[in-house]
Amino acid sequence: MKLNPKVYKQLTGEPFETQEINGKNIEFHYMNDTPFLFQFASKGRFAIWTSDGNDYKVLIETKYYDVMKDFYQEEVNMIWLSFLERVGAISKKINMMFIIPTLIFYVLIAVVSTLLFPELMLQILLFMIVIVVISNMFQGRIVNKRVKEENKLAQDQIREFLGNSEFDELVKAQEEHYKEYFKFNVEEETTIEEDKTNNIENSEDEDGTKSD
């Protein structure tokens, strides 16, 4: 299954770590060394898995990796890789279950309406579009439900491997990283705003002096 393929293609630098799991190559790249830091980290996405459909590249924020390193060891990644592969297979299977019948039904209705009800062609096609949209929504819900189930299974397996204590510690470390990262950003923005205000005030003082 391809994951963020555009990001995958742009990660051409030297990885800081590589792993090989079940014949799949996994490269780790620091997000801080790429143009993607603001795009993902600003939304709280500190680790992004990408794939070309065969191998994987993980884009990860530097400090996040430092505090969550145990979560990316090979044994854990083996569990997560299995999860991604299962999700890809599930998504493909469900998509095929919906797409093929929908296309066949759409073509049949289009042919029948063209031959027997040409004057109602527009209304019938609009009706079919509504059916396709509803089908896609239903399909999406099924996929999301299955993904959540598989995600819970993977997390339970990771918890079992790491142990409850270490797993909970990693969860706490993750929460602390989120707080510290966004606290830093808020403080930085506040400082910038204060600097802007000071610059404006200084400019006004200078203008006043000149006018005298």
Side-chain angles (χ1 to χ4, degrees):
M1 179 178 69
K2 291 186 178 181
L3 295 170
N4 302 300
K6 292 182 180 179
V7 177
Y8 180 94
K9 290 180 180 178
Q10 294 186 54
L11 298 178
T12 56
E14 189 71 21
F16 68 87
E17 183 179 345
T18 58
Q19 298 175 2
E20 184 175 344
I21 299 175
N22 297 331
K24 307 285 186 179
N25 292 318
I26 304 177
E27 295 182 358
F28 288 82
H29 297 259
Y30 284 129
M31 190 180 292
N32 307 60
D33 299 333
T34 72
F36 298 108
L37 180 63
F38 179 77
Q39 178 181 343
F40 293 119
S42 63
K43 299 175 183 177
R45 301 180 65 189
F46 297 110
I48 306 295
W49 282 74
T50 71
S51 175
D52 63 350
N54 184 44
D55 294 321
Y56 293 82
K57 294 179 182 179
V58 181
L59 184 63
I60 191 164
E61 195 266 335
T62 306
K63 291 184 179 179
Y64 184 79
Y65 180 77
D66 290 340
V67 299
M68 299 294 292
K69 190 173 183 178
D70 288 344
F71 195 75
Y72 292 93
Q73 56 185 293
E74 287 194 24
E75 291 81 0
V76 175
N77 285 335
M78 187 179 298
I79 296 172
W80 197 249
L81 201 62
S82 177
F83 158 73
L84 293 176
E85 297 289 331
R86 291 198 306 272
V87 166
I90 289 170
S91 179
K92 183 177 180 180
K93 180 180 179 180
I94 293 176
N95 287 342
M96 294 302 291
M97 286 173 57
F98 277 86
I99 291 174
I100 293 178
T102 300
L103 284 175
I104 293 174
F105 184 60
Y106 191 93
V107 171
L108 287 176
I109 293 297
V111 171
V112 171
S113 61
T114 300
L115 296 176
L116 302 179
F117 310 103
E119 70 282 359
L120 299 176
M121 187 68 176
L122 180 59
Q123 292 90 328
I124 293 174
L125 289 179
L126 289 174
F127 173 75
M128 286 303 302
I129 290 174
V130 172
I131 295 297
V132 170
V133 171
I134 294 174
S135 174
N136 288 341
M137 291 174 60
F138 187 63
Q139 171 188 337
R141 288 183 179 180
I142 294 176
V143 171
N144 289 338
K145 183 175 182 294
R146 292 294 302 276
V147 169
K148 287 180 180 179
E149 292 172 354
E150 292 295 336
N151 184 276
K152 185 179 184 305
L153 175 62
Q155 290 196 41
D156 289 344
Q157 291 174 337
I158 293 172
R159 177 184 284 275
E160 183 179 356
F161 170 75
L162 294 174
N164 288 331
S165 178
E166 184 174 356
F167 187 90
D168 291 339
E169 285 298 320
L170 285 172
V171 171
K172 290 180 181 178
Q174 184 184 53
E175 292 175 353
E176 287 300 318
H177 176 75
Y178 274 78
K179 291 177 182 177
E180 287 298 318
Y181 187 88
F182 288 107
K183 177 184 176 183
F184 173 77
N185 283 349
V186 170
E187 290 177 349
E188 187 179 53
E189 289 173 3
T190 302
T191 303
I192 292 172
E193 289 301 322
E194 289 175 351
D195 289 343
K196 286 181 179 177
T197 303
N198 291 335
N199 288 336
I200 292 172
E201 291 174 350
N202 291 336
S203 297
E204 289 177 349
D205 291 341
E206 290 175 1
D207 290 342
T209 303
K210 289 178 181 178
S211 62
D212 290 341

